[in-house]
Amino acid sequence: LGWLDVEGGWTPLVGLLSDSDARVRLQALKSLQRLDPVNAAALPQVEVLRQDKDMRVQKAAAGGSSD
């Protein structure tokens, strides 16, 4: 969704930031960052993800690459 810029994709992606699967959280975060980097960074959920148990999610939430 992030690459396609699908209208209406924002809200479902925000919900996925709290998914139990780190891969889902990571991909949702990356998609939100592609759709709107400024608003994605301001989400309270992203602050929580900076303390995620998965290092890839932490790095992406901090603004670094998680590839």
Side-chain angles (χ1 to χ4, degrees):
L1 289 172
W3 290 117
L4 299 175
D5 196 21
V6 174
E7 205 170 308
W10 184 265
T11 302
L13 288 170
V14 171
L16 292 173
L17 293 176
S18 60
D19 194 271
S20 62
D21 188 327
R23 295 170 297 183
V24 173
R25 293 191 303 275
L26 178 60
Q27 292 307 314
L29 177 58
K30 290 167 91 176
S31 293
L32 288 167
Q33 290 169 331
R34 284 190 288 270
L35 284 169
D36 188 341
V38 173
N39 283 326
L43 288 169
Q45 294 91 331
V46 174
E47 183 64 34
V48 172
L49 292 178
R50 290 185 182 119
Q51 303 299 319
D52 196 88
K53 60 186 174 188
D54 186 285
M55 293 301 291
R56 297 169 302 163
V57 176
Q58 283 183 24
K59 189 173 181 181
S65 175
S66 59
D67 295 333

